[in-house]
Amino acid sequence: MKVYIPETNTNRFVNFEGTRLLKTLKASLETCDVEYTSSVVDKFDVVHLISPLDDKKENDALERGIPVVVSAMFTESDPSCSFIEYKPHSTHEISVSNKTIHFLNESDLILVPSYQARNLLRESGVEKEIVVNPPGIDLSHFSRPAEGQKEVFYRYFREESYRDLVVAVGDYQTTDGMSVFLEVAREFPNILFYYFGPYSIDKASPKIRKTAQTSLKNVKFVGDVPDDVYESALLNAKIFLLPSYRPIGIVSLFEAIACRCQIIVRSQANLGGFLKEGKTAYLGEYSETLTSLCRDYLNQKISPTTEAAYEELSHYTLKSSGEQLKAIYQEVYNVHGFKGV
C-alpha cells in the first residue's frame, strides 16, 4: 500500500495549518510503515487530499481509477484548506459552497475531526461516506523542546524575553476576533500580543488592515512564519486565543494544548466539541465574555485548565492515528481500488 500525499499546502501558505496537517499525516503513517509519496509520477494505491483546491488532483486520480480520501475541516484557519465560508453579509453564519460539496461528493471517503463537522457536511448536501478521524500528535515534540527553542520567538521578533505572551490565530477575513484581541491588549500593555494569520496583514482587505492599524506597541499582526518560530511562540504563550466565529482548526488547537497553553475560545467555534467549558478550556459566546475570560486568567482569578486538556490530548497519538489511517486506506482500496493502475 502506497499513498499519495501532496508535498506542501496546495496554495501559498508554506507553514500554516494545511502544511502542518500534511506533516502530521506523514508522521502518523511512518509509525505504521505505510509508504507515501509526494510525486505524481510514482505508482500509488490511494490519494489523500486536504483542500477543495485540490480538485484537479482529485480528477486526475479518479480518471486513473485511484480512490480518493479527503480530510475535511481540519484546518479552518487556513484559507487555502478551508471547507467552509461565511454566508453573504454575515461574519457569524457559515456554509459550505456548492463547489466544495461537489469536490467532496466526487471523493470516495471523507475524514472529519468530529461528529459536529460530519453533521454540518451532511446538512450541507454531502452524500459520500464520512468517518470521524481526529489527527494524532507527537506530544514528546512539544513537551521536550530542543535547547534554546523557547528563545527562538523572542530572537526572531526582537522582543524582550522576560515579557509574557498571548497568541491568537485567525484567517484575516473578519474583524470580530481581532477586536477582542485588541481590547484585551489595551488592558495589559506589559504583555505581548501576537496574532498569527496565513499571510501578511498588508495583503488583507482594507477593512481588516484598518482594524489592525493600532497604536498599541505590544500588539503585532503577523503572517506565515517558520515552524520553529511558531512553535516557540506556543511554548511561551500564557493564552492561546481563538476569538473568531470560524470553526477551530484542530491542528492549531492540538499544538497549543500540547504546549500547555491556556485555551480561550469563542463557543460558536467549538465545532469539534473537543473542548469542555471550565474543564479543558474557557469558552465565551460574546466578545465581552472572551475579553473578561482573558482578563480574569491573566489576573489569576480563574484556574488553568491546561493539565486536563493535555491529559485528554494524550489519547490522540501518532501511532493510533496511523493505524486508523492504514485500515481506512486498505478498506477504501478494497472497495474502490479494483480499477487502480
Side-chain angles (χ1 to χ4, degrees):
M1 172 67 63
K2 182 182 283 191
V3 182
Y4 171 80
I5 299 177
E7 178 63 37
T8 57
N9 194 354
T10 301
N11 213 325
R12 56 198 175 278
F13 312 130
V14 179
N15 296 304
F16 212 56
E17 281 186 341
T19 298
R20 301 207 304 274
L21 174 60
L22 293 175
K23 291 179 179 178
T24 298
L25 290 174
K26 293 173 182 177
S28 296
L29 297 184
E30 288 169 2
T31 67
C32 297
D33 297 321
V34 175
E35 285 189 87
Y36 61 83
T37 179
S38 299
S39 172
V40 293
V41 299
D42 277 354
K43 276 195 170 184
F44 39 85
D45 305 294
V46 176
V47 169
H48 193 154
L49 305 174
I50 66 165
S51 168
L53 299 179
D54 284 330
D55 53 340
K56 290 184 179 179
K57 291 186 175 72
E58 180 183 62
N59 291 337
D60 289 345
L62 295 176
E63 286 177 3
R64 296 169 61 187
I66 303 174
V68 175
V69 174
V70 175
S71 286
M73 299 188 67
F74 286 78
T75 55
E76 289 304 317
S77 295
D78 189 332
S80 68
C81 293
S82 175
F83 285 78
I84 64 169
E85 58 186 28
Y86 291 106
K87 291 183 178 179
H89 313 297
S90 174
T91 59
H92 300 174
E93 297 181 85
I94 58 175
S95 63
V96 183
S97 71
N98 290 333
K99 183 178 180 181
T100 297
I101 293 171
H102 176 77
F103 170 78
L104 291 170
N105 280 331
E106 286 294 299
S107 69
D108 295 294
L109 181 70
I110 303 160
L111 305 180
V112 293
S114 66
Y115 290 101
Q116 291 89 334
R118 184 179 69 178
N119 293 341
L120 175 62
L121 293 181
R122 279 279 180 258
E123 292 166 2
S124 300
V126 176
E127 299 173 347
K128 283 299 175 71
E129 182 180 1
I130 303 175
V131 174
V132 177
N133 181 250
I137 187 165
D138 181 6
L139 287 176
S140 64
H141 175 76
F142 297 95
S143 61
R144 295 192 295 272
E147 184 177 354
Q149 177 65 10
K150 293 191 72 172
E151 287 72 44
V152 170
F153 165 81
Y154 293 101
R155 290 200 307 269
Y156 186 86
F157 289 109
R158 299 182 180 180
E159 299 283 8
E160 296 95 339
S161 60
Y162 65 86
R163 299 182 72 178
D164 288 333
L165 174 66
V166 171
V167 165
V169 170
D171 56 14
Y172 290 159
Q173 293 189 21
T174 64
T175 61
D176 50 274
M178 297 169 67
S179 300
V180 172
F181 191 69
L182 291 169
E183 183 62 31
V184 181
R186 285 189 189 94
E187 296 189 32
F188 296 90
N190 294 324
I191 294 178
L192 297 173
F193 286 75
Y194 270 70
Y195 194 111
F196 290 89
Y199 43 78
S200 169
I201 193 68
D202 295 334
K203 297 179 181 178
S205 70
K207 182 180 180 181
I208 300 296
R209 294 200 306 271
K210 183 177 180 180
T211 301
Q213 288 173 350
T214 174
S215 60
L216 299 174
K217 298 187 182 301
N218 61 326
V219 174
K220 296 283 177 62
F221 290 91
V222 298
D224 206 12
V225 297
D227 272 352
D228 61 338
V229 176
Y230 179 71
E231 289 178 8
S232 180
L234 293 182
L235 290 168
N236 285 286
K238 290 280 189 181
I239 292 175
F240 184 79
L241 178 62
L242 288 164
S244 173
Y245 288 89
R246 180 177 286 277
I248 295 167
I250 198 164
V251 171
S252 292
L253 177 65
F254 277 16
E255 291 170 344
I257 293 174
C259 291
R260 289 182 164 86
C261 303
Q262 176 58 51
I263 308 299
I264 298 180
V265 176
R266 194 177 291 274
S267 55
Q268 295 92 324
N270 187 30
L271 188 64
F274 178 83
L275 300 174
K276 303 297 186 294
E277 162 59 23
K279 295 181 179 180
T280 58
Y282 289 109
L283 310 178
E285 181 177 356
Y286 303 106
S287 296
E288 295 81 3
T289 309
L290 291 173
T291 301
S292 178
L293 286 169
C294 290
R295 181 190 304 119
D296 288 349
Y297 185 77
L298 292 171
N299 285 327
Q300 300 180 350
K301 292 184 178 180
I302 54 178
S303 301
T305 63
T306 51
E307 291 306 315
Y310 188 90
E311 175 61 27
E312 183 73 18
L313 184 64
S314 67
H315 302 296
Y316 297 87
T317 65
L318 290 179
K319 180 68 172 177
S320 63
S321 175
E323 290 172 347
Q324 292 168 23
L325 287 171
K326 183 177 182 178
I328 287 168
Y329 294 148
Q330 191 62 56
E331 181 178 355
V332 168
Y333 180 77
N334 290 343
V335 175
H336 302 284
F338 59 92
K339 294 181 294 183
V341 294

